[in-house]
Amino acid sequence: MTEAATHQAIEAVWRIESARLIGGLVRVVRDVGLAEDLAQEALLTALEHWPRTGIPDNPGAWLMATARNRAVDQLRRHRMLERKQGELEETAGSLGPQPPPEVETLIDENVGDDVLRLVLVACHPVLSTEARVALTLRLLGGLSTEEIARAFLVPEPTIAQRIVRAKRTLAEAQVPFEVPRGEDLAARLPSVLEVVYLIFNEGYSATRGDDWMRTELCDDALRLGRILAELVPGEAEVHGLVALMELQASRARARIGPAGEPILLLDQDRSRWDQLLVHRGLAALERAESLARPLGPYVLQAAIAACHARARTNEETDWPRIVALYDALAELTRSPVVELNRAVAVGMAYGPSEGLELVDALVDEQALRGYHLLPSVRGDLLMKLGRFDEARVELERAASMAQNARERELLEARAAACRLSAADVKLRS
Amino acid sequence: MRVMVLVKASKNSEAGKLPEEKDFVAMGNFNEELVKAGVLLAADGLHPSSRGKRVRFSGGKKTVIDGPFTETKELVAGFWIWQVKSLEEAVEWVRRCPDPMPGEESEIEIRPIFEAEDFGKEFTPELRARMERRRAEVRAQESARNKKS
């Protein structure tokens, strides 16, 4: 194996092992920053040794043993220091107040718990959403700071700083490292699911930049979701989120045109939907629905996505069922964005004027101010009602508000189509 | 990226000999690990080629050939579909796989699955759409069949 090839292989090992490695270390040293440092040092040692010795048969165990030795060294040094400096300065080291004595035996148990603990810490509510996203991709996705920065179109130092600050916040807040059970665990999950879905969405409909989709981020989020589903298999919402992401990802190929332009759901060529992901999504939804009633927000959204996935043509879409699901979702979330989506469904199920009535009620909604999809939806309904001049104004407004270049182009094109239709109507009359 | 990971056949697999329980358990554990890592998308094992058929295309002529087929080592005994970050990651996972054909020499082959971006200019959107439509039809029929059975 050439040195370059070995390095690529080590990178792959890192991706597979890093979460378990860091998770196992966090349990023992009770400090995310230190755990990651120890893991990184083990990786450096591997980069030094493996090109010469070849990759060991069990690289995960090798990395863990190396990091563990480091941890033990540090603990010993820390304790010697402690003895010298007295108990007053107990917290001076970064090892926390009570390092457990049996480091070796503790490290190899409960791998699942280790990864779950790491997820919960990385997504801890004391952290800002941005910090949670960066930390989760770094610690659980195995992404480098550079990769995260590229994915979010942010300068690398920004992400690096975000991660450093997040680790400091976690240390200062002394977040507990026990894995909660039962209802306590369920209470912590929304903050985790939010992070995963946010990563997915940033990939699925990029808010910034020139590309309408960044598939790699979708893949990362899906992988995190699938991992979570196995960590907490009894939680319906986790399966709901996985189902939602699988179903949305199944449409990825169909929602981009040859020139990179977005294609909206009802204009998509359904034969291009990825049936493997559709099947996986429907299976995850079934799993979620078998676990809990009433259904939570992710399961409901997945159920809506499933209505589209099951329809082989637009006409087969069960819009009344979608409306009913949005009713439940709106009641649960009280979100104006959900109300807006519900209006779209109502428009499809019972006609554009019914939909428009609901949208008009949302126009003064504070939370939707600046949200380009409000005028976009309104323009669309007006267009269907043949009120082309009003529709054009709304679509132009939507275009001026959209932040994604591709989306803006699409809205401008639809506004232009309205202008043509309006002229056509005038000519005929 | 997605890869198809092919477990090549062996004398025993072609003879329809099932693995011993401990080997079954080891493979089950490996599959569980793949699921837990969010890597495994699909997997199945195949019957020996004695239960398969081939259709040979030659100059417009189509001939149906019954199994078994002789080139054992080139035959496929089972497959996975994985979602991985790189081909190297797939290799690392295969290195963790228990011996698929204990007591015999065997191979596992990793093949990246074509993504839309991999096709050159000659692969027009129309052509691509047509191919995927056909693929979808096949899958729809499959799932209809599965529901019936």
Side-chain angles (χ1 to χ4, degrees), chain A residues 412-426:
Chain A
E412 279 162 359
R414 281 164 64 207
C418 278
R419 185 173 300 124
L420 279 179
S421 299
D424 196 35
V425 169
K426 271 169 207 150

Side-chain angles (χ1 to χ4, degrees), chain A residues 127-414:
Chain A
L127 301 172
S128 71
T129 315
E130 279 181 335
R132 277 187 265 158
V133 166
L135 210 53
T136 301
L137 283 173
R138 169 76 176 246
L139 297 179
L140 290 131
L143 267 69
S144 68
T145 310
E146 191 205 336
E147 285 171 315
I148 302 171
R150 217 185 312 130
F152 283 87
L153 308 178
V154 176
E156 198 184 329
T158 311
I159 294 289
Q161 240 203 345
R162 212 174 273 173
I163 290 173
V164 168
R165 238 184 276 140
K167 286 182 195 159
R168 202 188 305 142
T169 308
L170 287 173
E172 281 167 7
Q174 297 194 326
V175 300
F177 288 98
E178 281 68 44
V179 175
R181 305 280 166 206
E183 278 178 24
D184 293 334
L185 175 61
R188 292 285 297 280
L189 283 178
S191 131
V192 178
L193 302 185
E194 183 197 0
V195 167
V196 175
Y197 196 40
L198 214 116
I199 295 170
F200 182 84
N201 268 324
E202 189 51 35
Y204 197 63
S205 42
T207 48
R208 270 183 285 189
D210 294 335
D211 291 325
W212 159 248
M213 277 192 71
R214 290 201 289 279
T215 345
E216 290 243 326
L217 267 184
C218 291
D219 289 342
D220 287 327
L222 258 167
R223 186 155 172 175
L224 285 170
R226 290 173 188 145
I227 292 171
L228 263 183
E230 296 309 312
L231 288 175
V232 284
E235 296 293 333
E237 279 289 272
V238 176
H239 299 295
L241 173 61
V242 171
L244 177 60
M245 293 193 296
E246 303 264 21
L247 290 172
Q248 288 187 315
S250 77
R251 306 198 287 254
R253 282 182 296 195
R255 64 200 287 277
I256 305 185
E261 76 279 12
I263 300 175
L264 302 180
L265 180 67
L266 296 181
D267 300 325
Q268 287 170 13
D269 175 356
R270 289 175 185 237
S271 68
R272 300 192 63 204
W273 290 358
D274 186 324
Q275 293 299 317
L276 177 58
L277 294 185
V278 168
H279 284 307
R280 291 182 58 87
L282 295 177
L285 178 59
E286 232 167 77
R287 211 169 156 189
E289 287 174 334
S290 72
L291 282 169
R293 302 270 161 184
L295 306 177
Y298 287 111
V299 185
L300 284 169
Q301 289 178 79
I304 292 166
C307 287
H308 295 300
R310 289 194 190 103
R312 266 184 288 182
T313 59
N314 284 347
E315 294 70 35
E316 271 182 34
T317 312
D318 188 349
W319 288 105
R321 180 173 159 74
I322 294 179
V323 171
L325 289 164
Y326 269 122
D327 284 345
L329 190 60
E331 197 168 312
L332 213 60
T333 59
R334 309 246 162 238
S335 146
V337 174
V338 171
E339 294 286 355
L340 183 63
N341 283 317
R342 186 172 158 264
V344 175
V346 167
M348 294 303 296
Y350 308 112
S353 54
E354 304 276 324
L356 186 62
E357 208 173 295
L358 293 174
V359 175
D360 284 344
L362 291 169
V363 167
D364 292 325
E365 187 64 58
Q366 198 62 34
L368 293 180
R369 189 151 294 179
Y371 188 52
H372 67 284
L373 289 181
L374 177 65
S376 162
V377 165
R378 196 161 181 274
D380 195 52
L381 290 166
L382 285 165
M383 202 165 144
K384 283 185 184 143
L385 288 167
R387 291 155 65 176
F388 296 114
D389 282 322
E390 292 162 88
R392 178 183 49 80
V393 174
E394 286 292 68
L395 290 170
E396 278 170 356
R397 206 153 65 87
S400 73
M401 287 153 83
Q403 302 210 326
N404 180 285
R406 295 298 190 181
E407 218 176 342
R408 190 163 50 238
E409 285 164 21
L410 178 76
L411 287 163
E412 279 162 359
R414 281 164 64 207

Side-chain angles (χ1 to χ4, degrees), chain A residues 8-9 12-13 15-17 20 55-57 59-60 143 147 216 219-220 223 226-227 230 253 258 269 271-272 274-277 279-280 312, chain B residues 1-2 33 35-42 81 83-86 88-89 92-93 95-96 116 125 128-129 132-136 139-140 143:
Chain A
Q8 277 181 323
V13 169
R15 189 169 160 85
I16 295 173
E17 301 291 346
R20 279 190 286 190
I55 296 175
D57 278 342
L143 267 69
E147 285 171 315
E216 290 243 326
D219 289 342
D220 287 327
R223 186 155 172 175
R226 290 173 188 145
I227 292 171
E230 296 309 312
R253 282 182 296 195
D269 175 356
S271 68
R272 300 192 63 204
D274 186 324
Q275 293 299 317
L276 177 58
L277 294 185
H279 284 307
R280 291 182 58 87
R312 266 184 288 182
Chain B
M1 69 185 295
R2 281 187 201 174
E33 207 185 328
V35 172
K36 282 183 174 161
V39 165
L40 183 62
L41 296 185
I81 294 176
Q83 174 82 48
V84 287
K85 200 78 172 171
S86 62
E88 286 76 19
E89 191 192 342
E92 283 310 311
W93 279 112
R95 277 161 43 92
R96 286 161 166 74
R128 185 187 300 171
E132 291 191 0
R133 199 155 28 235
R134 211 157 293 153
R135 213 185 278 165
R139 281 181 181 144
S143 70

Side-chain angles (χ1 to χ4, degrees), chain B residues 24-89:
Chain B
F24 248 134
V25 171
M27 197 53 93
N29 290 341
F30 178 62
N31 278 318
E32 203 179 307
E33 207 185 328
L34 290 171
V35 172
K36 282 183 174 161
V39 165
L40 183 62
L41 296 185
D44 269 310
L46 306 183
H47 279 295
S49 72
S50 56
R51 296 182 62 171
K53 284 184 190 295
R54 278 178 178 169
V55 180
R56 175 171 295 149
F57 289 73
S58 171
K61 237 181 75 184
K62 291 156 208 161
T63 325
V64 178
I65 307 161
D66 289 332
F69 311 118
T70 48
E71 58 282 26
T72 304
K73 284 185 151 191
E74 298 306 318
L75 299 174
V76 177
F79 70 91
W80 287 284
I81 294 176
W82 294 346
Q83 174 82 48
V84 287
K85 200 78 172 171
S86 62
L87 200 57
E88 286 76 19
E89 191 192 342

